[in-house]
Amino acid sequence: MPYLAIDVDDLPKVAEELAARGTRLVMPVREGADVFYRQGVTPSEMVFSGLPKNSIKEFLFPKSERILRYRYVGNEVALEDVLPEAEETAIVCARPCDAASIPVVAPLWNWDYEDVFFNMRRARTIVITLACAQAPDEACFCTSVGLAPHSDKGSDVLLYPVCEGRLACCFLTDAGKGLEPLFARYKKGEAGDDEIEAVKRSGEASLAHRRRLDKVRAWLEAHFEDPLWEQKASRCIGCGTCTFVCPTCHCFDIQDESGFDTGYRRKNWDACQFSLFTLHTSGHNPRDTQPKRYRQRIYHKYAIYPEKFGTVLCTGCGRCVAYCPVNLSLYDVVAAIQERAEKGE
Amino acid sequence: MTERSRLIREIAARWLADGTVEAVVGWEQGTYRDKTAPVIVRTPEEAQRLVFNERCTNNLVAYLKREPLKSMAAVGIVAKGCDIKSLVGLIQESQVGREKVKILAVTCPGVKDARGTVPIKCQACEVNTPTLFDELVGEKIEARPDPQARSRSLAELEAMSPQERFRFWRKEFDKCIRCYACRQACPLCICTRCIAEKNQPQWIETSPHPRGNFAWNLIRAYHLAGRCVECEACEAACPVNIPLMLLNRTMADEIKHLFGYEAGKDPAVQPPLRTFQLDDDNSFIL
């Protein structure tokens, strides 16, 4: 089946047209030596390679947002709902691992409570993803968690960088198909299945980490107490970097911030690596050491979340591998677990 | 293997074998790019994992303040001259007893950060050959500090008007996600319960909004005034690239100007904000 193709240089023009319709644009841009997803940037700054240091999480689940307003009225407290500031948004040139994170976390936000903040933003966000013909970072391990450098999970449009600087466009969802006329205006011929297959092969072949992790969950279920946790995690310094750069980590804290006669309840990112995270009012802390907190992160991603929602809470983006200040690589830990499981240890 | 790595392994193994220390914290080869990773070794065999190279950027003194090393009676630490400056700070503040820590010092020609550039602390380094140690590894290296390296980094900021400077920091602090990697990587952030964690009442807003982020980053800078030894661990750990060292260097310059004191140099001298003298400058009091 032939796919519509456009010049890669025309993708910023497509983005510009979206912006002209009043859509908030989010895209990867260079900042110093690094790449970050940013909003409100000029489409011509878009970069097509590299793993952005942040994920797209903050555009669906901001690091801090107001969820409730309260006011003192005489001797009473009046409560008012605050609705999310959910603009029509296009995430352009998203990485497939980031796009995939949206359907991975969506069940969590709709499990015992329908989170209007996530849901409204998701409904108003369109994701245009660039498949990776080359792994953007040596930390990448998406195939290990059942995804791929060309995974279409969570994307509305998936672009394959085929030869001669062109992008083959797959319009996947209704929202994505709605953009087809816009892309068609920049049409530069077509691309065939063979070209798309070549992108898939080169992306997969370029991954440095490719170990299957299919035995990790079963191992975890039998090794809550194991010397591995202390061995691996004694170097953890207990910061929140891994959880905050993660596209799927979603824990949050609730804070009330008061002014003179009015205040807001806020939802802020929180991290299971912080000692305060599980500190009880009594002073007891069930996760009183860093290895226990590190173990929790692995359990949540590879055992608890799969049990509850049927999917691993990890898209293999590799950010927690690349940006851990002490090089405590999650991939190394789960690969070591897989190895022990294969040996029956 | 380099000669430094070989000697570090030999000495650490000896200390562990004869019971001089319970554990040694050092660097091992990492698994991401050419990074090294901090490692705590407890046996002579494990000590064979230790390495030293130009990517040994982490300041391992930060491990002395937390478990498992904190409650041990005697520990060894592999340290560069700059790391030892922060250990001096901990000794001055009675956080670590000198007799508890065996310093396996290594002479260092300078390290390279994650992007392969030479940090400013290395360009300005005066402690390539450490002076406080139990064992010293490596050839003596003559210090050739570039005295302008620090001031060059601050020139742009100092040339700004207060309004421009405020806008600069507003933009930088907006990036803060409150992961506290700066604090956790810092050898001198020693509070067992940080003020950002004191929530009855909540002294510092934990929300990563402009007010909360200003409060957090400024109070941390204040808390490090006269204490920060400019090891750059905070800036290296920051996942959103906030230039924290511009704050810390500015504070260090203020302390030097006011009190003629530079942190991390002499364990026998008390830091100015920890002591009181009758002839202290009182001119700021109305």
Side-chain angles (χ1 to χ4, degrees):
Chain A
M1 185 184 113
Y3 296 87
L4 184 154
I6 65 167
D7 258 357
V8 68
D9 295 337
D10 284 336
L11 186 59
K13 293 178 193 159
V14 171
E16 250 164 56
E17 294 207 31
L18 287 169
R21 297 176 186 180
T23 302
R24 172 178 73 149
L25 290 182
V26 171
M27 64 184 77
V29 295
R30 193 161 292 287
E31 271 185 25
D34 296 308
V35 176
F36 287 88
Y37 288 110
R38 295 289 188 223
Q39 59 171 316
V41 287
T42 318
S44 59
E45 290 179 52
M46 187 188 301
V47 294
F48 302 94
S49 59
L51 178 70
K53 273 187 107 170
N54 57 343
S55 77
I56 62 169
K57 172 168 75 178
E58 66 194 69
F59 304 103
L60 290 118
F61 166 35
K63 60 185 180 176
S64 180
E65 68 177 332
R66 292 169 170 175
I67 57 171
L68 185 75
R69 180 171 185 244
Y70 55 91
R71 279 182 304 127
Y72 295 105
V73 183
N75 290 329
E76 303 291 317
V77 177
L79 303 180
E80 290 166 29
D81 279 333
V82 176
L83 282 175
E85 296 160 19
E87 300 168 63
E88 293 291 338
T89 298
I91 303 175
V92 187
C93 215
R95 302 291 173 256
C97 48
D98 284 325
S101 71
I102 302 173
V104 167
V105 296
L108 177 279
W109 296 115
N110 290 281
W111 155 53
D112 56 347
Y113 176 78
E114 287 180 11
D115 188 282
V116 64
F117 299 88
F118 177 84
N119 289 341
M120 253 175 96
R121 288 201 181 86
R122 187 188 186 196
R124 294 179 186 178
T125 298
I126 191 157
V127 184
I128 301 169
T129 304
L130 179 68
C132 303
Q134 180 73 34
D137 199 281
E138 75 170 61
C140 298
F141 62 99
C142 56
T143 56
S144 295
V145 292
L147 295 169
H150 52 82
S151 172
D152 62 9
K153 191 172 179 177
S155 298
D156 294 295
V157 180
L158 181 61
L159 308 171
Y160 288 90
V162 292
C163 47
E164 292 157 5
R166 290 179 311 145
L167 302 172
C169 311
C170 295
F171 302 97
L172 300 159
T173 61
D174 288 345
K177 285 175 183 140
L179 292 180
E180 193 166 350
L182 172 57
F183 279 83
R185 274 196 265 143
Y186 295 93
K187 183 172 175 179
K188 286 278 163 60
E190 288 175 338
D193 282 325
D194 52 335
E195 288 179 86
I196 283 182
E197 287 306 315
V199 172
K200 291 181 178 178
R201 278 195 305 275
S202 88
E204 287 188 11
S206 68
L207 287 166
H209 298 315
R210 303 161 76 170
R211 185 160 204 144
R212 287 183 55 168
L213 299 171
D214 54 348
K215 292 185 160 58
V216 172
R217 181 176 165 189
W219 187 93
L220 288 173
E221 281 163 5
H223 294 85
F224 189 71
E225 300 291 347
D226 192 278
L228 175 132
W229 303 114
E230 179 73 34
Q231 284 160 12
K232 295 285 179 193
S234 58
R235 78 168 59 128
C236 177
I237 56 173
C239 73
T241 300
C242 53
T243 67
F244 288 179
V245 298
C246 175
T248 62
C249 273
H250 52 256
C251 290
F252 58 85
D253 182 32
I254 298 289
Q255 288 276 330
D256 289 344
E257 291 180 355
S258 303
F260 177 68
D261 59 1
T262 186
Y264 287 94
R265 175 159 291 182
R266 284 183 167 271
K267 184 164 93 182
N268 296 336
W269 286 357
D270 202 353
C272 54
Q273 302 307 298
F274 295 157
S275 60
L276 227 60
F277 189 78
T278 45
L279 182 63
H280 295 183
T281 313
S282 65
H284 172 65
N285 193 341
R287 295 185 209 136
D288 56 348
T289 64
Q290 206 55 42
K292 288 182 189 171
R293 292 171 207 135
Y294 190 81
R295 175 180 65 189
Q296 168 61 25
R297 186 160 187 269
I298 303 291
Y299 263 78
H300 193 189
K301 292 197 169 297
Y302 286 87
I304 301 165
Y305 202 83
E307 184 184 326
K308 202 164 181 68
F309 298 115
T311 173
V312 173
L313 187 67
C314 174
T315 63
C317 75
R319 288 189 181 87
C320 60
V321 175
Y323 304 124
C324 172
V326 295
N327 192 195
L328 172 48
S329 157
L330 175 136
Y331 180 82
D332 289 349
V333 174
V334 288
I337 288 172
Q338 173 75 15
E339 193 177 329
R340 281 186 58 179
E342 285 171 7
K343 288 184 192 159
E345 287 176 6
Chain B
M1 186 182 23
T2 64
E3 182 66 2
R4 282 189 182 82
S5 301
R6 192 186 67 75
L7 287 166
I8 287 168
R9 289 176 193 187
E10 189 182 302
I11 295 165
R14 171 156 44 85
W15 284 353
L16 289 162
D18 67 14
T20 305
V21 296
E22 288 177 59
V24 175
V25 59
W27 301 276
E28 68 175 340
Q29 188 53 51
T31 54
Y32 178 67
R33 297 190 180 168
D34 57 350
K35 269 190 180 179
T36 63
V39 63
I40 295 165
V41 295
R42 296 168 190 250
T43 63
E45 294 72 39
E46 283 180 352
Q48 304 315 308
R49 289 159 66 173
L50 298 173
V51 299
F52 184 78
N53 59 42
E54 65 178 14
R55 292 304 317 279
C56 291
T57 50
N58 288 89
N59 184 345
L60 307 176
V61 173
Y63 285 92
L64 297 178
K65 67 179 179 180
R66 56 172 62 97
E67 297 299 351
L69 300 186
K70 189 179 173 185
S71 51
M72 289 180 185
V75 297
I77 183 167
V78 189
K80 312 179 291 290
C82 50
D83 308 331
I84 293 169
K85 285 167 78 175
S86 53
L87 181 54
V88 166
L90 295 185
I91 293 166
Q92 284 171 318
E93 298 180 6
S94 309
Q95 293 299 320
V96 174
R98 175 68 185 88
E99 68 291 346
K100 168 180 167 160
V101 183
K102 296 287 271 183
I103 306 170
L104 206 173
V106 51
T107 65
C108 173
V111 294
K112 285 195 175 136
D113 67 18
R115 298 182 190 96
T117 53
V118 177
I120 286 168
K121 67 166 177 181
C122 298
Q123 297 172 37
C125 183
E126 297 173 351
V127 288
N128 305 75
T129 304
T131 51
L132 181 73
F133 53 81
D134 295 282
E135 296 265 9
L136 181 65
V137 159
E139 297 283 307
K140 186 169 186 285
I141 298 170
E142 201 70 44
R144 288 198 182 79
D146 172 3
Q148 304 303 318
R150 288 178 79 263
S151 48
R152 272 198 304 272
S153 75
L154 297 172
E156 197 183 335
L157 199 62
E158 281 169 357
M160 290 179 192
S161 69
Q163 290 78 14
E164 288 169 330
R165 210 174 298 157
F166 182 80
R167 278 196 296 275
F168 173 86
W169 285 116
R170 163 78 202 245
K171 188 161 174 267
E172 292 299 332
F173 292 155
D174 269 359
K175 299 193 291 195
C176 180
I177 51 178
R178 305 297 280 276
C179 68
Y180 301 109
C182 49
R183 176 187 75 193
Q184 298 304 102
C186 177
L188 286 151
C189 265
I190 50 168
C191 300
T192 47
R193 193 157 182 181
C194 172
I195 192 163
E197 294 174 338
K198 288 186 177 159
N199 53 3
Q200 294 174 340
Q202 188 78 52
W203 289 103
I204 301 288
E205 285 174 329
T206 56
S207 301
H209 52 36
R211 196 176 57 216
N213 284 350
F214 260 91
W216 161 246
N217 285 284
L218 293 186
I219 205 154
R220 183 167 177 274
Y222 267 77
H223 205 172
L224 286 165
R227 302 174 65 241
C228 173
V229 297
E230 304 184 31
C231 76
E232 303 182 13
C234 53
E235 194 172 276
C238 179
V240 296
N241 300 357
I242 300 172
L244 293 165
M245 285 311 299
L246 296 183
L247 273 182
N248 294 332
R249 286 189 201 110
T250 303
M251 295 304 278
D253 283 353
E254 291 294 324
I255 293 290
K256 190 175 179 186
H257 170 71
L258 286 169
F259 302 102
Y261 176 83
E262 288 176 76
K265 290 208 160 165
D266 186 351
V269 178
Q270 280 296 307
L273 300 186
R274 254 195 118 229
T275 186
F276 164 77
Q277 284 167 4
L278 283 174
D279 59 351
D280 277 343
D281 179 8
N282 288 329
S283 61
F284 64 95
I285 300 172
L286 293 175

